[in-house]
């Protein structure tokens, strides 16, 4: 595909089956946890998968939540540092952090 | 709540009457502040030049708004996502909303970003392009001019001039879902008109 054709395809991206913003927001957390569990959320939520490819508002929301949820699983102490950067005292993370380190990943 | 022990503990301890509730609320608030800080940092480019103090205020406001929503909706949480992913969703929503409002107040979309005159330079036909490509762009230009006023305004602002969808929704006194619907309908109309004129846009997946 040429650059021009790709440019036009992006500009006019509209696929049948797009579930829209409200449906995507409702299941965004479940969608992200499926991804973190190594599953394909597009099989469960095909209309939302289409939507996240096209919506300039919901895609960054999805990307942001995925990044935050992944960081929480991998390094929950990161949030203490981030909060400290925002002038907050370090949050107490003992409860879930301990559980994550003992567990074997997402509970899906 | 499903079989996620950590999620179950969060919910139990956040409920009123639990002896560790105050500690759990503070713990959650600290985590949400961290998430808000990260997400606002990721979107900082949309905020323009912003003082550190104002940025920190936005962090606190987003985290506080999210915490209020989590506590209000706590009894509605049933999974199947983790509690933390569910709670972080409120932060993302708060951040998106506050960034859009900040950007809109600071610099609302200009008339030039909403009005249709001609294809922007980055999309206009270039010297040396094949006749068929030039004709396709001319057909697109004509089709944009034939959109309804509402669809054209949304398409021109978002697709051609990169106005953030939430900022445009504020400008139009609308919401993201309705604004996206207008964008989607405009794109479908344009595709249909291009196809009718013999210049169908082939999706990338169709050429793979």
């Amino acid at each position: 595909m040429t650059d021009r054709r790709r440019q036009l395809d992006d500009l006019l991206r509209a696929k049948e089956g797009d579930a829209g913003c409200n449906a995507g927001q409702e299941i965004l957390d479940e969608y992200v946890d499926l991804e973190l569990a190594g599953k394909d959320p597009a099989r469960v939520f095909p209309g939302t998968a289409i939507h996240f490819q096209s919506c300039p508002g919901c895609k960054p929301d999805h990307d942001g939540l995925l990044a935050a949820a992944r960081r929480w699983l991998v390094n929950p102490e990161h949030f203490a540092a981030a909060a400290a950067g925002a002038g907050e005292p370090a949050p107490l993370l003992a409860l879930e952090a301990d559980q994550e380190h003992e567990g074997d990943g997402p509970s899906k | 709540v499903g079989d996620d022990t950590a999620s179950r503990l969060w919910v139990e301890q956040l409920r009123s009457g639990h002896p560790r509730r105050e500690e759990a609320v503070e713990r959650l608030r600290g985590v949400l502040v961290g998430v808000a800080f990260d997400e606002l940092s990721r979107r900082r480019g949309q905020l323009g030049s912003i003082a550190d103090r104002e940025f920190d205020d936005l962090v606190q406001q987003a985290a506080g708004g999210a915490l209020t929503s989590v506590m209000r909706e706590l009894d509605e949480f049933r999974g199947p996502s983790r509690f933390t992913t569910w709670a972080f969703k409120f932060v993302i929503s708060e951040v998106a909303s506050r960034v859009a409002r900040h950007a809109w107040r600071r610099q609302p979309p200009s008339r030039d970003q909403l009005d249709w005159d001609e294809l922007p330079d980055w999309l206009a036909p270039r010297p040396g392009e094949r006749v068929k490509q030039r004709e396709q762009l001319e057909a697109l230009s004509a089709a944009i001019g034939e959109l309804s006023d509402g669809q054209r305004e949304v398409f021109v602002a978002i697709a051609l001039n990169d106005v953030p969808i939430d900022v445009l929704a504020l400008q139009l006194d609308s919401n993201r879902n309705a604004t996206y619907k207008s964008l989607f309908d405009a794109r479908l109309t344009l595709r249909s008109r291009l196809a009718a004129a013999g210049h169908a846009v082939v999706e990338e997946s169709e050429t793979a």
Side-chain angles (χ1 to χ4, degrees):
Chain A
M1 182 179 264
T2 64
D3 286 348
R4 177 65 88 192
R5 285 176 67 184
R6 181 170 291 114
Q7 207 171 29
L8 278 177
D9 188 36
D10 286 345
L11 188 72
L12 303 178
R13 186 175 291 278
K15 285 191 172 178
E16 293 295 336
D18 188 322
C21 302
N22 289 348
Q25 289 295 324
E26 196 165 315
I27 53 86
L28 179 57
D29 48 333
E30 189 179 350
Y31 190 100
V32 160
D33 274 357
L34 283 170
E35 285 180 279
L36 291 175
K39 297 177 181 172
D40 180 8
R43 291 175 69 94
V44 185
F45 304 110
T48 294
I50 291 171
H51 182 69
F52 287 159
Q53 291 174 0
S54 307
C55 180
C58 293
K59 184 178 188 310
D61 286 2
H62 162 265
D63 295 349
L65 185 59
L66 181 62
R70 179 175 284 139
R71 273 196 299 270
W72 174 257
L73 287 182
V74 174
N75 180 21
E77 289 83 0
H78 164 85
F79 292 99
E88 280 285 305
L92 303 168
L93 295 171
L95 173 68
E96 188 152 7
D98 288 350
Q99 300 231 345
E100 297 305 338
H101 290 149
E102 290 167 7
D104 55 359
S107 62
K108 295 234 163 252
Chain B
V1 181
D3 58 358
D4 179 349
T5 305
S7 293
R8 194 164 59 246
L9 282 172
W10 271 112
V11 173
E12 282 175 9
Q13 294 191 5
L14 288 168
R15 285 214 170 103
S16 59
H18 194 281
R20 295 182 67 184
R21 180 174 188 263
E22 197 173 326
E23 180 192 342
V25 170
E26 281 310 298
R27 186 171 65 241
L28 178 60
R29 191 173 68 86
V31 175
L32 298 184
V33 167
V35 175
F37 181 84
D38 277 359
E39 187 60 14
L40 275 158
S41 299
R42 213 170 65 84
R43 302 187 189 218
R44 192 158 188 156
Q46 294 176 49
L47 295 170
S49 81
I50 180 172
D52 287 347
R53 187 173 167 185
E54 193 177 3
F55 181 85
D56 289 344
D57 282 348
L58 278 177
V59 170
Q60 299 298 335
Q61 289 167 18
L67 180 61
T68 300
S69 296
V70 168
M71 299 308 291
R72 187 182 59 237
E73 304 286 333
L74 191 61
D75 288 342
E76 303 301 318
F77 176 73
R78 300 280 184 278
S81 67
R82 294 170 159 274
F83 171 78
T84 43
T85 309
W86 177 76
F88 295 173
K89 183 171 73 169
F90 290 103
V91 180
I92 302 296
S93 174
E94 287 280 341
V95 166
S97 167
R98 289 173 194 278
V99 165
R101 192 161 291 279
H102 180 92
W104 178 64
R105 282 185 182 143
R106 183 174 169 273
Q107 189 171 12
S110 67
R111 207 57 246 172
D112 285 350
Q113 290 176 298
L114 305 175
D115 278 348
W116 166 247
D117 186 15
E118 58 185 12
L119 290 177
D121 289 344
W122 61 267
L123 192 60
R126 301 163 194 152
E129 277 188 333
R130 291 178 184 172
V131 172
K132 190 164 179 58
Q133 285 179 316
R134 296 180 68 85
E135 287 176 350
Q136 186 182 42
L137 290 169
E138 284 163 12
L140 173 63
S141 184
I144 293 171
E146 292 168 6
L147 290 172
S148 70
D149 289 348
Q151 286 183 7
R152 187 170 55 250
E153 189 171 49
V154 168
F155 180 79
V156 168
I158 296 174
L160 297 184
N161 291 318
D162 288 330
V163 175
I165 189 169
D166 293 330
V167 172
L168 183 64
L170 285 167
Q171 178 76 13
L172 301 177
D173 197 20
S174 182
N175 57 57
R176 183 191 291 179
N177 194 54
T179 306
Y180 180 77
K181 180 75 168 58
S182 292
L183 176 67
F184 183 84
D185 290 344
R187 285 168 158 169
L188 277 187
T189 301
L190 293 173
R191 276 185 179 271
S192 166
R193 290 193 175 153
L194 283 176
H199 299 292
V201 176
V202 181
E203 290 179 9
E204 192 167 357
S205 58
E206 295 174 28
T207 63

